Amino acid sequence: MNITDLNKKEVAKIISLSDIDKLFTKRLMDLGIYESATVVMLNKLSSNRLYIIEVDDVEICLRKEDAEKIEVKK
Amino acid sequence: MIYLLAGNPNVGKSTFFNFMTQSHVHVGNYSGVTVEKRVHHVKHYEGANLVDLPGTYNVSPSSQDEGIVTYSLLNESYNGVVNIIDSTHLRRNLHLTVQLLELGVPSMLVFNLKDALKNNGYVIDIDKVKDRLKVNAISISARDRQNEDQKQIASEMQNLRITKALELDYDPIIKWGLQRIHDLLRYDVIQVKKKWLALQILEGNEGTFKFLDLVKEEKIREVVKEVEDRIIEAKVAFSLKGAIFNTRREFINNLVEECLIKVEEKEHSKYFNQKIDRIITHPKFGIPIFFIIMLAIYQVSFGTFLGVGNFLTTYFEIGWNDYLVYYLGQALEFLGLTGFMYGLLIDGIMGGIGGILVFLPQIIVLFFMLAVLEGTGYMARVAIVMDRFLSKFGFNGKSIVPIITGFGCTVPAIMATRTIADKKERILTILTIPFISCSARLPIYGIFTSLFFDEYRAIIILGLYLLGIMVTLLSAKFLNLTYFRGSGSKFLLEVPPYRIPQLRTITYQALEKAKRFVKKAGTFILVGSMILWLLSNIGMDGININPEESFLSNIAGFIAPIFNPLGFGDWQATSSLISGVLAKEVVVSSLNILYVGDIAAGFTTLSALTYIVFASLYVPCIATIATIKSETGSLKWTVFSVIYPFVIAYLVALSVNLIFGIFL
């Protein structure tokens, strides 16, 4: 499953980032989004096109197409 | 003594810098890279300077802006590093801290936002932090500006411990790689510790190669490749960088667990955030809500109903014209100065500057309210609301920051594009941002709307802003389809919690804008007005001539006919546009001088409308053009940035002239 499959308030662990270019991976990593990080789904906005997640106490807004590439495990 | 101030973006670094140096001033450029760095001396510490580095998550750069941190750490001499940390986001902030401590230079950790952390129900056990990391550390709240904090930090900075570099237990494969690279670095003479450098190289910090000319670069890159392959093969992580990152994360998690102490059970504000977010970022109502808020702000600044700004301007105008200028005129007459000198001082200088300064109250009111919006965290939500919209035009999600900055001044907006990592996307943003209406264009809108469209002021001004935004977006789309084809846009945004903005910060921000505005009036506009008045009063036949025979009339009159199709083809309107390239405010002072205070006589309602439309979009000011040149480093794009807006402004104004010609 990926991040978009999580329901609100659900917690999961990131297991892989697939098919994301190097530069964007680095930016994700800067914000703590990387394998073994714990994510909480906080909110789905803009008709489920944008996702607000929490990683390391930071709230981050992601687009659907990017969130789909982040595999998680509950 | 020089201390570098490093920290993540948006952790109160600038607040801390101003607090420690008691300055609001920008002191000077710092040598090294082309980017500005603020330097100022530290209060209570004689002879010490603090260097404010740009905010960064990481020592290794992902954009030009962040490259400065690597550069400074590698190539500049300094006595210590002050690392400012957001206490409410320790897990993210400490990644930078770990990298700085691995360097092993005298360091001090400043845990900021103590009050916010306490509100969440936590405190940091500073003694434990000191003990675990073997560095000086303090927990403060820079917003409160406590004098004791300032003194304590200054005194600790004078007695920084000589720290042993922090050593984390990286995977054996990485340790092996570190040793190999360390050996290869023996051929180089480098100031920084080679162990640290080796780790940065493994992490993929390209800045190390860029700023240092390493003898064995080829060999080193081979080792990095080999280590990466082995890490992936051994399934330690998906990448070498990730393996290093994970070790650090583990170390940080343990540290936070030990040092962050819960003192009180508090309901987290996140759920409060979410409720507001659902309304504010609603897919249907989000954009209308934004426009209603903006319309209200423009109404209060410029409108007549509830118009605080407009009200203040009226009194400012009376004070300026009926008192200051009147008595100055009397004094000049008393001194026997009449004729040419009287004209230069009263009509030229006072008329020119006065035409601009009357907008000062409105600008203060506008920026005060925009600063409130920014301080609450609403702007990040605007970025969310606008994302779908912006991405359709090929904008990078990060472009929203420069775009919003552009409403103030185009120059810092262009500099703010440094945070966009992709070069193509960055140039695209730079080229389109000058269409966003900056505050210098406000006086033009202000004067024309008050003369011709008094009832609809707020709506017309908002309309001009929307026009600017539309042209920006369409230009981006156009450039994306033609030259910049195929650059995808990404969106990744940190969502700040809603906060009640501090009155002091907001007032400071608004006054700072006002100060810049007045400063410009006293320099650029003053000189511009003088030159313009002189050129319009001197001709082939000498001074004190009929302005129709002046030099200015002859020069501008030659160009003016090209504006005939737009409806304002006289030499006064044309000269004002030309002088506006100096600074956009000068358009208004020029009009005031050339139409001798009666601008209304020179325009019809329709030509007034096409004039402001043209003026809102045409050639950027000199400062902007110079910034575009230095930021893109390309003559081609600089020339483009001058010609393209002219053509666009002409076409749009022509359309306005044709369409509104039916009604007006």
Side-chain angles (χ1 to χ4, degrees), chain B residues 555-593:
Chain B
I555 303 165
F558 180 71
I559 307 168
I562 64 164
F563 295 116
N564 275 335
L566 307 185
F568 48 83
D570 64 8
W571 70 271
Q572 291 97 326
T574 309
S575 326
S576 303
L577 288 173
I578 297 170
S579 57
V581 176
L582 199 60
K584 289 289 161 76
E585 297 95 331
V586 180
V587 172
V588 172
S589 33
S590 304
L591 289 168
N592 265 326
I593 295 168

Side-chain angles (χ1 to χ4, degrees), chain A residues 30 43 54 57 59 61 63, chain B residues 89 270 278 387 493 495:
Chain A
D30 282 344
N43 216 346
E54 184 191 296
D57 311 325
E59 290 172 36
C61 185
R63 276 188 193 152
Chain B
H89 293 130
K270 262 175 281 190
R278 271 217 107 66
D387 171 59
L493 183 83
V495 189

Side-chain angles (χ1 to χ4, degrees), chain B residues 1 23 27 38 66 187 195 271 277 306 333 518 604 656:
Chain B
M1 302 293 262
S23 69
V27 189
R38 296 189 302 161
E66 292 174 10
Y187 301 91
K195 238 183 180 169
Y271 300 104
D277 278 352
L306 284 179
E333 273 170 31
V518 173
T604 62
V656 168

Side-chain angles (χ1 to χ4, degrees), chain B residues 114-159:
Chain B
K114 185 176 154 185
D115 50 348
L117 185 69
K118 205 168 160 221
N119 282 340
N120 293 347
Y122 290 92
V123 289
I124 293 174
D125 185 341
I126 284 293
D127 289 327
K128 207 160 226 164
V129 172
K130 285 185 187 171
D131 183 54
R132 287 276 272 120
L133 299 176
K134 309 275 182 277
V135 282
N136 298 55
I138 184 174
S139 178
I140 64 155
S141 184
R143 263 166 78 136
D144 295 346
R145 305 176 76 87
Q146 295 286 337
N147 206 20
E148 304 94 77
D149 288 344
Q150 202 182 35
K151 279 189 184 143
Q152 200 193 330
I153 295 168
S155 102
E156 293 212 19
M157 278 169 73
Q158 295 178 49
N159 300 301

